Amino acid sequence: KNHFKILSMAVESGAGAAKRGGRGLGNPFVGKSFEEIDHMFRMKGLEVKYFDPVGKKGSYINSKTGTSYFIDPGRMYKKGYEGPHVDVFYNGHSKYEKAKFFLDGSPKQYKELKAIDNLSFEVHEGEILGLLGPNGSGKSTTINCILSLLEFSKGTIKIFGKDMKPDAYDIKSKIGVVFQEVSVFDELTVYENIDYFCGLYIKDKKTRKQYIEDAIRLVGLEDFKKFYPKKLSGGLLRRLNIACGIAHKPKLIFLDEPTVAVDPQSRNNILDGIKKLRKNGATIVYTTHYMEEVEILCDRVIILDKGKILATGTTDELKKKAKIEEKVTVEVNDLVPGYIEKIKELKNVDDVTYTNNVLFVTYKKGKNNLVDMIDYLKKESINYNKIYSERPTLNDVFLELTGKELRD
């Protein structure tokens, strides 16, 4: 397997990541088209109040700070510069935004919490890397730092062998991002949405048309090209969101919870599409709350908690880290509490729980634990409906390492 390094991240501390407030990201507006500036605003989470793709005008607001942004194609920043003008209003006062883009009106403080703490990992060409962690573990902060949407206190991030910076547009043009929150234009059809986002990177019309058709086929939206987003089901909307993020055929793709709240058909379609993306040469960083998706898709997995890596490896390698060797599940009605204490004393037993008429027995070691349990139930004349044994799952490892369910 080719282990060419696509992405390497070594961040000592992410406590300063939120120093973004009031800081510029270089000069993101100069030389940018209306479509590119609009895309930037939406990616930063600004609410769209008015959007005119024909007249190339737009109005946006930061709901947290009340800061308003207005794009007007007929004005100029300064003499000699032609292009869209951006007015910024802070509490009714206007100023020309020439070189800075404020992500937030005031710095957000993490206080003593380190969102990222001595985090270091690599992503290799052609692999799917699963990034797992409970809520607040640092997954989103990690991705935002990689994309230079947040600053970090100390460390380096390299993508395609180059330092990643806010103005590294040559690198960013090769990256696709699909965030959990759907970001598409309600005013545009499925085809027009994909055309818009693909057009941010692909200028040649003939090439772009082919790319759009490829993206539509990949996510299975052939019958919905002329539909507007509001007419799509939740699953189809998710597919459109993915198509918009990958239409320009990026080499590195970040997928954040792409199958949340979708129907089984759309979920299977999305998973098949992700496999095709990898088959076509893409490298993917994948976050999800569904362990079965990790087992199906990911070549390697990183488990994060409190900004630190707790474990990394293939799913089989991670399962070997589990303290338990076997788990026996017994469906038994009205088990007398006294039996639970007796079962705990059996050979090799690590823990016993009884919930909703289901008995869970975990073992540290041993090869005949299921047989021994059947013999014990027979000896005590305990009737049961079903009994089965299974090896530790990835969810067991996750719970053991973090002390939390993945959905916590």
Side-chain angles (χ1 to χ4, degrees):
K1 184 176 180 178
N2 186 354
H3 284 284
F4 176 72
K5 197 184 301 180
I6 287 288
L7 183 155
S8 65
M9 178 178 188
V11 175
E12 187 169 318
S13 174
K19 290 180 180 178
R20 55 183 181 158
R23 256 182 94 89
L25 297 181
N27 191 354
F29 295 151
V30 174
K32 297 296 179 184
S33 66
F34 164 78
E35 290 79 8
E36 290 168 322
I37 296 174
D38 172 76
H39 180 59
M40 289 172 63
F41 283 164
R42 292 175 186 260
M43 291 295 287
K44 307 310 178 195
L46 270 64
E47 181 182 349
V48 180
K49 304 298 290 183
Y50 171 73
F51 176 70
D52 178 9
V54 178
K56 299 188 182 299
K57 295 182 180 181
S59 171
Y60 312 78
I61 188 170
N62 185 324
S63 57
K64 294 181 181 179
T65 65
T67 304
S68 298
Y69 300 78
F70 299 89
I71 305 177
D72 185 344
R75 303 196 37 202
M76 299 185 295
Y77 286 120
K78 57 185 179 180
K79 186 177 180 181
Y81 170 68
E82 298 288 342
H85 174 82
V86 179
D87 263 335
V88 185
F89 286 82
Y90 298 95
N91 297 322
H93 298 286
S94 175
K95 66 181 276 188
Y96 295 138
E97 186 69 359
K98 298 179 181 178
K100 298 180 186 176
F101 175 55
F102 288 79
L103 294 175
D104 206 328
S106 59
K108 180 181 177 183
Q109 299 296 327
Y110 281 68
K111 296 183 180 180
E112 298 301 319
L113 176 64
K114 288 186 177 181
I116 296 177
D117 191 4
N118 292 309
L119 192 67
S120 180
F121 66 90
E122 298 175 354
V123 183
H124 298 125
E125 184 178 20
E127 78 172 343
I128 300 179
L129 177 72
L131 198 58
L132 299 180
N135 291 335
S137 63
K139 300 189 302 296
S140 296
T141 301
T142 298
I143 291 176
N144 285 331
C145 283
I146 291 172
L147 297 173
S148 281
L149 298 177
L150 290 178
E151 290 184 343
F152 47 89
S153 304
K154 188 176 180 181
T156 60
I157 296 175
K158 290 183 179 292
I159 300 181
F160 309 125
K162 299 179 181 179
D163 289 330
M164 183 62 169
K165 299 177 181 179
D167 59 352
Y169 300 117
D170 59 328
I171 297 176
K172 291 186 176 183
S173 66
K174 301 173 185 175
I175 297 175
V177 184
V178 180
F179 289 115
Q180 182 176 345
E181 185 176 348
V182 175
S183 298
V184 297
F185 299 117
D186 289 336
E187 304 87 350
L188 303 180
T189 65
V190 165
Y191 187 95
E192 290 168 343
N193 263 290
I194 301 173
D195 182 30
Y196 174 88
F197 287 103
C198 188
L200 296 174
Y201 308 95
I202 308 300
K203 301 304 180 183
D204 181 78
K205 291 184 178 181
K206 184 177 180 181
T207 302
R208 187 166 74 245
K209 183 178 180 180
Q210 183 60 54
Y211 279 21
I212 295 168
E213 293 295 340
D214 290 345
I216 288 174
R217 281 195 298 272
L218 181 76
V219 298
L221 289 177
E222 294 94 331
D223 297 331
F224 303 93
K225 293 181 184 180
K226 296 183 179 180
F227 279 58
Y228 287 90
K230 290 183 178 180
K231 297 294 183 179
L232 299 177
S233 66
L236 292 175
L237 195 58
R238 287 277 173 190
R239 296 196 218 176
L240 172 59
N241 198 44
I242 292 173
C244 291
I246 58 87
H248 61 294
K249 297 187 185 294
K251 293 183 178 180
L252 176 61
I253 302 172
F254 292 88
L255 297 171
D256 186 15
E257 307 276 1
T259 62
V260 168
V262 302
D263 58 275
Q265 181 181 359
S266 288
R267 182 169 177 263
N268 291 334
N269 186 286
I270 290 171
L271 295 180
D272 288 342
I274 293 170
K275 292 177 184 177
K276 291 176 184 176
L277 287 171
R278 195 259 297 275
K279 185 178 180 181
N280 292 336
T283 301
I284 300 170
V285 178
Y286 189 86
T287 72
T288 180
H289 275 177
Y290 302 116
M291 286 294 185
E292 62 272 21
E293 292 183 3
V294 173
E295 303 237 19
I296 292 171
L297 293 174
C298 297
D299 301 295
R300 287 191 304 128
V301 180
I302 290 176
I303 296 179
L304 280 176
D305 194 26
K306 297 180 180 178
K308 293 184 177 181
I309 293 179
L310 301 184
T312 182
T314 65
T315 54
D316 289 337
E317 289 170 345
L318 289 176
K319 288 177 184 178
K320 291 178 181 178
K321 295 179 183 291
K323 294 179 181 178
I324 64 173
E325 181 74 18
E326 184 179 5
K327 181 167 65 175
V328 172
T329 302
V330 187
E331 293 183 6
V332 53
N333 297 327
D334 303 322
L335 185 66
V336 178
Y339 282 117
I340 297 175
E341 296 303 318
K342 292 181 180 180
I343 293 173
K344 288 182 179 180
E345 297 174 358
L346 296 178
K347 181 181 177 182
N348 298 328
V349 171
D350 176 62
D351 190 30
V352 179
T353 57
Y354 183 60
T355 307
N356 297 326
N357 292 325
V358 179
L359 179 70
F360 299 97
V361 185
T362 57
Y363 296 84
K364 294 181 180 178
K365 57 182 180 179
K367 296 183 179 180
N368 299 311
N369 297 315
L370 179 61
V371 175
D372 291 343
M373 177 55 67
I374 293 174
D375 289 343
Y376 175 79
L377 294 173
K378 184 177 180 180
K379 176 184 175 182
E380 298 294 333
S381 300
I382 299 174
N383 297 320
Y384 58 90
N385 299 320
K386 182 165 58 174
I387 184 170
Y388 59 91
S389 170
E390 58 185 334
R391 306 292 292 174
T393 64
L394 196 56
N395 194 56
D396 293 325
V397 177
F398 186 90
L399 182 60
E400 192 174 293
L401 290 172
T402 66
K404 308 171 185 176
E405 292 285 352
L406 187 57
R407 291 174 180 81
D408 284 351

